[in-house]
């Protein structure tokens, strides 16, 4: 078993790899240590052929780097002379091959966590390729604290300068560069502990090694919509993934129609009944409690989905660690109970983000878009962040749940690949429904006293049937746009590159000192990769992103909304 770990300086690669290896009872091999050892050999005019790796205490320690029987591990750490040249050493094919020959000679057929640049490229059969990252300021401060703790460097500022330059050079170089590829599992360590991250990966490895894995649990709360539920389940039967890889759980909130009988006509669908009519939040909690899937997908009973729906959500979560995926929704006209071939008008959230950014983490309050009609998240998040069951009737239980998730440092992804087609029913707001929503809003504001929560009250005028304020106008007030100095537009319509994301990454690195915000325009088929790994790019330069079509349709509105000096680079 091989697991590879790559990432930026200060993201915690070494500590994570070592703790993960200890937890698994296997070796931890650091490619960075070996490159530093090669640099040490060059500085001291020694032959790298005498380098080797050893361990003490049954691997429960960092690897020891030996030169001709001498332990040089401490000499190669925190060494300014080595820090100045180690990136250029790793950028040379000859030294990369030497480093990997040392690893493979030492490793043989044993299992290991291998940490360092391009490890996933040299070990294509790894069961998991992990990339660690953190926000720039956090990484810089971690490196500073570690240097101060060890007290090995006289000029800390000079060392940090070369450390930062090494990180940038590692991303630009052609050999062994720091790249994000689509087979990587991205973890942002900014606000999560070492223990949390190791446990999450241990759980993931356990799932990977299971022969009979349930990849996803689709949880459907149901109440007196048996005709809609029947169509919903009919489309879920057509998924392009083996039925043994996912489960469907219908939680009946004490329906008085034939919901139970409808579910019985779909073999394999799990049916459970709630203890009394307790609302959709309670029904979802009951479903999560018995769910066995690695990914939890909440789906309303009046939503129809395409055949790649479940696989799309699984794919998102195979590549990122703490992501909540919100699916787009299209409202079907009356008497249409199937997914039509013609285009259906976008809902308000899609229209909104097509003018703000497809990456909704750019928004100040992305939790405000959290509608649970179509949403997925890792099982560990769903089981640790359940719905508040005190909300009654319609509205706010999903927004409140999203608010808590947001404060639990999740990443958000709005997917127009995962479209749900909403079967027609009367959605008009009346006084009774609005008054219930107002009571739920008051409960939300009692639970959460932050200014961002208080601001949500301004949407009352949107839902009030006697006012019907414009949603877009209210959202502009709710989510004022930040001001930036220099802004550049990168309109990347040429996608002939082998690694499109890496191409964008290098573009960002070239202009990072010149601008405060990038407007990124990309072909639509590359959008999802950008969204999955958006935090990695955002740690280089803040950016907003649109597809080519969105940009052409909304360019004037977007530029007008930013109201800054626009330096256009095509």
């Amino acid at each position: 078993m091989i697991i590879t770990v790559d990432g930026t300086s200060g993201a915690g690669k070494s500590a994570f790899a070592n703790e993960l290896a200890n937890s698994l009872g296997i070796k931890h091999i650091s490619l960075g240590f070996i490159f530093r050892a090669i640099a040490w050999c060059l500085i001291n005019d020694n032959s790298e052929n005498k380098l080797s790796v050893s361990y003490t205490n049954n691997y429960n320690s960092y690897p020891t780097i030996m030169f001709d029987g001498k332990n040089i591990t401490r000499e190669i750490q925190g060494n300014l002379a080595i820090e100045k040249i180690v990136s250029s050493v790793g950028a040379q094919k000859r030294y990369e091959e030497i480093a990997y020959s040392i690893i493979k000679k030492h490793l043989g057929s044993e299992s290991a966590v291998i940490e360092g640049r391009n490890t996933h490229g040299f070990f294509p059969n790894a069961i998991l390729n992990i990339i660690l990252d953190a926000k720039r300021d956090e990484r810089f401060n971690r490196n500073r604290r570690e240097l101060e703790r060890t007290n090995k460097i006289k000029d800390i500022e000079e060392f940090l300068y070369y450390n930062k330059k090494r990180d940038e050079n590692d991303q630009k170089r052609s050999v062994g560069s720091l790249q994000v590829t689509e087979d990587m599992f991205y973890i942002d360590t900014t606000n999560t502990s070492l223990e949390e991250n190791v446990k999450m990966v241990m759980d993931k490895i356990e799932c990977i090694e299971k022969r009979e894995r349930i990849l996803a649990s689709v949880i459907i709360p149901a109440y007196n919509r048996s005709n809609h539920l029947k169509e919903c389940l009919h489309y879920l039967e057509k998924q392009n993934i083996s039925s043994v890889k996912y489960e469907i759980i219908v939680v009946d909130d004490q329906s008085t129609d034939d919901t139970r009988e409808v579910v019985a006509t779909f073999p394999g669908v799990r049916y459970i009944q709630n203890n009394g009519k307790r609302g959709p939040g309670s029904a979802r909690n009951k479903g999560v409690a018995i769910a066995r899937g690695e990914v939890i997908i909440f789906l309303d009973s009046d939503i129809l989905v395409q055949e790649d729906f479940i696989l799309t959500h699984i794919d998102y979560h195979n590549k990122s660690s703490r992501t909540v995926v919100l699916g787009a929704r299209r409202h079907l006209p009356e008497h249409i109970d199937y997914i039509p071939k013609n285009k259906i008008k976008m809902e308000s959230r899609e229209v909104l983000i097509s003018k703000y950014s497809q990456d909704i983490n750019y928004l100040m309050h992305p939790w405000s878009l959290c509608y649970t009609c179509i949403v997925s998240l890792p099982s560990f998040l769903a089981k640790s962040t359940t719905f508040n069951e005190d909300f009654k009737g319609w509205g706010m239980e999903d927004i409140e749940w999203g608010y808590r998730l947001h404060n639990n440092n999740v990443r958000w992804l709005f997917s127009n690949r995962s479209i749900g087609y909403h079967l027609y029913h009367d959605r008009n707001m009346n006084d009774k429904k609005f008054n219930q929503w107002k009571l739920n809003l008051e409960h939300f504001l009692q639970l959460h006293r932050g200014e961002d929560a208080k601001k949500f009250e301004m949407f009352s005028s949107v839902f009030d049937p006697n006012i019907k304020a414009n949603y877009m106008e209210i959202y502009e007030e709710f989510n004022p746009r930040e001001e930036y100095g220099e802004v550049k537009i990168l309109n990347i319509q040429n996608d002939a590159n082998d690694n499109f994301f890496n191409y964008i990454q290098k573009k960002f690195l070239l202009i990072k000192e010149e601008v405060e915000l990038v407007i990124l325009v990309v072909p639509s088929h590359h959008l999802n990769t950008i969204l999955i790994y958006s935090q990695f790019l955002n740690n280089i330069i803040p950016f907003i992103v649109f597809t080519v079509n969105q940009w052409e349709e909304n360019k004037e509105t977007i530029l007008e909304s930013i109201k800054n000096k626009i330096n256009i680079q095509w």
Side-chain angles (χ1 to χ4, degrees):
M1 175 175 66
I2 298 294
I3 298 158
T4 68
V5 180
D6 202 344
T8 47
S9 173
K13 297 187 300 297
S14 293
F16 172 83
N18 192 65
E19 187 63 28
L20 180 61
N22 288 345
S23 299
L24 292 168
I26 61 178
K27 289 183 176 180
H28 162 212
I29 297 178
S30 171
L31 180 61
F33 275 19
I34 296 172
F35 277 135
R36 282 179 168 80
I38 294 173
W40 178 89
C41 289
L42 293 172
I43 291 169
N44 292 284
D45 199 24
N46 289 320
S47 171
E48 61 273 2
N49 293 330
K50 296 182 179 181
L51 290 172
S52 63
V53 182
S54 69
Y55 294 84
T56 59
N57 194 25
N58 295 323
Y59 309 150
N60 289 320
S61 63
Y62 284 86
T64 299
I65 305 299
M66 308 294 291
F67 177 81
D68 197 20
K70 175 188 175 184
N71 185 345
I72 62 168
T73 308
R74 289 186 62 81
E75 292 183 47
I76 65 175
Q77 292 179 287
N79 185 312
L80 182 57
I82 290 175
E83 193 67 25
K84 287 181 178 180
I85 69 168
V86 68
S87 182
S88 61
V89 169
Q92 296 182 51
K93 193 70 178 175
R94 172 174 174 261
Y95 294 128
E96 185 182 58
E97 290 173 353
I98 289 171
Y100 278 101
S101 68
I102 292 171
I103 291 175
K104 290 181 177 180
K105 179 181 178 181
H106 169 73
L107 188 61
S109 60
E110 291 186 69
S111 297
V113 177
I114 305 175
E115 161 228 337
R117 292 287 176 267
N118 196 32
T119 45
H120 67 290
F122 272 81
F123 295 91
N125 295 323
I127 67 164
L128 186 61
N129 298 308
I130 299 167
I131 185 161
L132 300 184
D133 193 21
K135 291 182 179 178
R136 282 177 294 175
D137 290 347
E138 175 64 18
R139 291 190 283 113
F140 186 84
N141 289 333
R142 287 176 185 174
N143 285 331
R144 175 186 289 279
R145 288 194 298 268
E146 180 62 16
L147 290 171
E148 290 172 346
R149 183 186 69 81
T150 56
N151 198 29
K152 288 185 64 177
I153 302 296
K154 292 181 180 179
D155 192 336
I156 289 178
E157 297 305 322
E158 184 179 11
F159 185 90
L160 289 171
Y161 169 79
Y162 282 105
N163 180 267
K164 179 183 175 184
K165 296 300 291 183
R166 174 174 62 82
D167 220 28
E168 293 176 5
N169 291 336
D170 284 355
Q171 295 184 56
K172 293 176 182 177
R173 70 195 197 196
S174 57
V175 175
S177 63
L178 171 57
Q179 294 185 23
V180 175
T181 59
E182 291 194 45
D183 61 345
M184 284 182 159
F185 184 62
Y186 179 87
I187 302 175
D188 186 330
T189 67
T190 305
N191 295 302
T192 53
S193 69
L194 174 63
E195 292 75 17
E196 285 177 302
N197 292 327
V198 169
K199 183 181 184 307
M200 176 180 60
V201 172
M202 288 289 290
D203 290 344
K204 190 169 186 67
I205 292 168
E206 182 182 350
C207 290
I208 290 171
E209 292 188 315
K210 282 182 181 176
R211 289 190 176 183
E212 297 180 3
R213 298 170 62 193
I214 295 180
L215 301 179
S217 297
V218 182
I219 298 172
I220 305 172
Y223 178 71
N224 285 352
R225 289 262 172 84
S226 62
N227 57 333
H228 287 168
L229 177 62
K230 181 178 180 180
E231 299 305 325
C232 172
L233 294 175
H234 174 66
Y235 274 91
L236 283 172
E237 272 192 324
K238 300 177 180 179
Q239 295 298 295
N240 60 359
I241 177 176
S242 170
S243 59
V244 301
K245 294 296 184 183
Y246 68 96
E247 63 179 356
I248 300 171
I249 303 170
V250 174
V251 186
D252 186 357
D253 200 32
Q254 290 286 330
S255 297
T256 57
D257 63 4
D258 60 342
T259 291
R260 180 193 290 269
E261 289 74 18
V262 165
V263 175
T265 65
F266 291 87
V269 175
R270 302 174 70 185
Y271 172 90
I272 57 174
Q273 195 170 54
N274 216 351
N275 302 320
K277 187 178 183 305
R278 302 179 62 185
S282 171
R284 294 187 191 105
N285 288 344
K286 199 171 185 71
V288 167
I290 65 167
R292 297 170 292 172
E294 298 167 29
V295 173
I296 301 296
I297 304 173
F298 293 119
L299 187 69
D300 278 0
S301 61
D302 52 7
I303 300 289
L304 310 181
V305 296
Q306 294 168 318
E307 63 180 10
D308 63 346
F309 173 78
I310 292 176
L311 206 53
T312 295
H313 281 269
I314 291 170
D315 185 56
Y316 284 132
H317 295 290
N318 277 340
K319 296 174 181 177
S320 56
S321 59
R322 297 177 65 85
T323 299
V324 179
V325 179
L326 307 177
R329 179 179 59 177
R330 305 284 168 81
H331 295 298
L332 293 173
E334 195 171 3
H335 307 306
I336 300 294
D337 59 358
Y338 56 88
I339 297 177
K341 293 183 179 179
N342 57 303
K343 288 187 177 181
I344 302 295
K345 182 181 177 182
M346 292 190 299
E347 62 154 325
S348 56
R349 292 182 303 169
E350 275 192 276
V351 174
L352 179 81
I353 65 175
S354 69
K355 297 176 181 178
Y356 271 88
S357 174
Q358 280 293 134
D359 180 14
I360 63 172
N361 295 286
Y362 167 75
L363 300 174
M364 293 176 67
H365 314 296
W367 52 268
S368 63
L369 304 182
C370 182
Y371 301 169
T372 44
C373 51
I374 314 161
V375 62
S376 69
L377 70 168
S379 176
F380 77 90
L381 274 178
K383 290 180 182 292
S384 63
T385 311
T386 56
F387 287 84
N388 186 313
E389 299 184 14
D390 293 334
F391 290 91
K392 307 300 180 184
W394 181 82
M396 291 304 300
E397 93 286 344
D398 47 4
I399 296 294
E400 193 274 339
W401 179 72
Y403 184 84
R404 283 185 286 120
L405 282 169
H406 187 69
N407 288 318
N408 197 18
N409 302 305
V410 301
R411 294 285 297 168
W412 297 92
L413 193 153
F414 189 92
S415 171
N416 53 19
R417 272 181 62 198
S418 171
I419 298 175
Y421 293 84
H422 196 175
L423 290 163
Y424 177 84
H425 59 83
D426 184 8
R427 290 185 292 272
N428 290 323
M429 183 67 76
N430 54 42
D431 287 334
K432 180 180 179 181
K433 193 174 179 180
F434 175 65
N435 288 334
Q436 183 62 67
W437 182 86
K438 284 279 287 183
L439 289 174
N440 284 340
L441 174 65
E442 289 173 11
H443 184 52
F444 170 70
L445 296 176
Q446 288 171 358
L447 291 171
H448 306 290
R449 306 286 181 163
E451 289 301 316
D452 52 348
K454 291 178 184 176
K455 285 183 67 177
F456 193 80
E457 190 171 11
M458 64 178 59
F459 285 100
S460 293
S461 60
V462 175
F463 290 104
D464 190 332
N466 300 308
I467 300 176
K468 296 182 180 179
N470 183 283
Y471 174 78
M472 298 299 173
E473 292 177 1
I474 297 299
Y475 205 92
E476 284 283 352
E477 186 179 347
F478 176 67
N479 195 104
R481 301 174 195 256
E482 292 187 45
E483 293 187 3
Y484 292 92
E486 192 80 1
V487 179
K488 278 196 176 182
I489 301 168
L490 292 180
N491 193 335
I492 314 294
Q493 298 196 30
N494 176 14
D495 63 348
N497 304 282
D498 291 336
N499 187 333
F500 185 79
F501 188 90
N502 184 236
Y503 175 74
I504 299 296
Q505 175 187 340
K506 289 181 177 179
K507 283 278 190 183
F508 272 44
L509 288 165
L510 287 173
I511 62 173
K512 67 186 293 290
E513 303 299 334
E514 306 170 19
V515 299
E516 294 181 17
L517 179 73
V518 169
I519 301 175
L520 179 62
V521 182
V522 299
S524 59
H525 57 280
H526 284 301
L527 177 64
N528 277 284
T529 300
I530 299 295
L531 296 181
I532 290 167
Y533 301 115
S534 66
Q535 185 59 45
F536 189 87
L537 290 178
N538 197 62
N539 286 338
I540 302 174
I541 316 174
F543 75 102
I544 55 179
V545 61
F546 306 94
T547 65
V548 173
N549 288 341
Q550 287 172 338
W551 177 247
E552 293 303 322
E553 291 174 10
N554 302 305
K555 178 166 55 178
E556 292 182 6
T557 303
I558 295 165
L559 295 180
E560 173 63 24
S561 67
I562 294 176
K563 295 179 181 177
N564 289 92
K565 179 181 177 183
I566 305 296
N567 184 347
I568 299 180
Q569 176 175 324
W570 300 100

